[in-house]
Amino acid sequence: MPTYARFPVQIVKGQGSELFSEDGKRYIDMGSGIAVNVFGVADKEWAAAVSAQLLKVQHTSNLYYTEPCALLAEELCKRTGMKKVFFGNSGAEANECAIKAARRYSVKKYGEGRSTIITMKNSFHGRTLATLAATGQDGYHKDFGPFPGGFVYAEPDSLDSVKQLAAENKCCAVMIETIQGEGGVVPLSDDFVKGLRRFCDESDLLLIVDEVQTGNGRTGELYSYMHYGIKPDLFTTAKGIGGGLPLGLAVFSEKCENALEPGTHGSTFGGNPVCCAGALNILSRLTPDLLTEVNRKSDYIRQELSGADGVLEITGRGLMLGVACKKPGKEIANAALEKGLLVLTAKDKVRLLPALTIPWELLTEAVDTLKTCISEVCAEE
Ligand SMILES: *Cc1c(COP(=O)(O)O)cnc(C)c1O
């Protein structure tokens, strides 16, 4: 189905942050498959981990244990202080799990009725009906109703707005992205996130952080909530953790680790050992040194682009950056494609989500090309 507005390019192969189309043209990749290929494409270490598991057992169903799944859960909990992991296949599926778990947590403690989840206006949480309902953007809702109920939308960065909705509705949770990705790379303020943590504690609302895009080293911390010095009750992630294979996780703190028992949730492919073996390799390589490098590259991009011809503003954190320009991001992305540079857009901005290990030579080349494109497109009448 023509559900995607694809660029007219067929990618046939690549290495790291360089991709090649079928006509032999070379591209520098500043999108990494939408924050998925954290170590670029055809990464040898990751591919070796995946291939080795493929030749042991590729799938068992969740009726049995597998080592990669168990080790990945253990490593995730060790590095985040969380207690339990549910494995699915995508960001939307991870968020579905979080939504179900938050409601069930509340039912077990307070009985029926406390089922509403507060999300933010301009958020994005996925394309299934429940996660679309959670998404606070009317544009995504048009023509697809009726939606599952139980979502209300607060003004991002307004604790008063959250408190008002919590007073008017019987709520069990608040769900946020620390940086609204699809919403235009818009970060939430430090005060808001810290205040939200306090308010959720006082009201026994679960604080759910959607780390599908921001997670796995993308913003310069392992998970983006870590920048705020808070701990969510539940977070979800996908995209980068799978490194290119489908994997989505809901990760539970002690507070809600007993929300779901046998029979209450499931996924045939969830926790697939091949995906988990790859993810385990990825997680083991998201080291403090790598995160420092992510922040250095981020600073470099910001320095080069801020004040550059046609650039209005740079938002985001780490290697999740939005560049607002005098012309729509889409026009700049098209011009960049011509010059062998792949960039993404989010709302009207250019969005940059390169591989965390993009080599400096390619990064400087990409930023130079992007500057030229922005300047040329913005100079057009
Ligand atoms: C991409 C994204 C999702 C949806 O993930 P899928 O794997 O496409 O289902 C959910 N939340 C956020 C914040 C995302 O960026």
Side-chain angles (χ1 to χ4, degrees), residues 87-353:
F87 291 89
N89 307 285
S90 67
E93 199 186 348
N95 287 337
E96 290 272 347
C97 175
I99 291 163
K100 283 178 71 175
R103 289 183 174 162
R104 196 172 161 82
Y105 167 85
S106 187
V107 167
K108 287 171 81 163
K109 199 161 167 182
Y110 300 99
E112 298 280 337
R114 212 170 155 274
S115 58
T116 300
I117 297 176
I118 301 172
T119 65
M120 299 298 126
K121 290 180 183 168
N122 196 46
S123 57
F124 181 84
H125 297 295
R127 301 282 194 162
T128 61
L129 286 168
T131 58
L132 269 184
T135 292
Q137 300 189 57
D138 292 341
Y140 288 98
H141 295 165
K142 195 179 167 313
D143 301 339
F144 294 116
F147 289 96
F151 295 94
V152 291
Y153 315 106
E155 293 296 337
D157 271 352
S158 167
L159 205 51
D160 286 343
S161 167
V162 173
K163 285 179 179 170
Q164 193 181 335
L165 289 171
E168 292 167 357
N169 301 275
K170 290 187 167 167
C171 299
C172 59
V174 181
M175 179 150 79
I176 57 169
E177 302 155 86
T178 62
I179 302 172
Q180 296 185 323
E182 304 304 310
V185 197
V186 186
L188 294 180
S189 75
D190 210 48
D191 283 351
F192 176 69
V193 175
K194 288 193 170 108
L196 194 57
R197 178 65 279 179
R198 276 193 301 275
F199 177 66
C200 287
D201 282 338
E202 290 158 16
S203 323
D204 199 14
L205 301 173
L206 293 185
L207 178 57
I208 305 170
V209 180
D210 178 343
E211 295 269 5
V212 171
Q213 192 163 153
T214 51
N216 314 302
R218 177 57 49 193
T219 67
E221 285 277 6
L222 184 57
Y223 290 100
S224 72
Y225 67 78
M226 294 171 175
H227 289 289
Y228 298 83
I230 61 131
K231 198 177 148 192
D233 299 307
L234 213 176
F235 77 85
T236 58
T237 195
K239 293 196 169 97
I241 190 67
L245 289 176
L247 186 62
L249 318 168
V251 186
F252 297 80
S253 71
E254 207 165 329
K255 183 165 183 167
C256 51
E257 67 170 323
N258 299 316
L260 299 171
E261 317 89 341
T264 56
H265 198 47
S267 172
T268 298
F269 284 118
N272 172 278
V274 176
C275 301
C276 288
L280 198 54
N281 173 265
I282 286 173
L283 191 59
S284 74
R285 293 159 69 193
L286 296 175
T287 60
D289 282 353
L290 179 92
L291 298 178
T292 303
E293 199 59 9
V294 166
N295 288 315
R296 283 185 58 212
K297 286 171 180 165
S298 179
D299 291 345
Y300 168 77
I301 298 172
R302 280 176 169 280
Q303 263 163 27
E304 287 293 309
L305 292 181
S306 52
D309 202 18
V311 173
L312 298 173
E313 191 196 6
I314 300 160
T315 57
R317 207 164 207 166
L319 289 175
M320 177 172 178
L321 295 172
V323 187
C325 305
K326 287 180 183 154
K327 287 282 174 76
K330 189 76 199 158
E331 288 181 33
I332 291 152
N334 287 335
L337 185 78
E338 287 291 310
K339 292 193 200 292
L341 175 68
L342 304 181
V343 298
L344 305 169
T345 58
K347 291 281 168 74
D348 253 4
K349 291 179 187 168
V350 172
R351 177 169 44 157
L352 304 176
L353 297 166

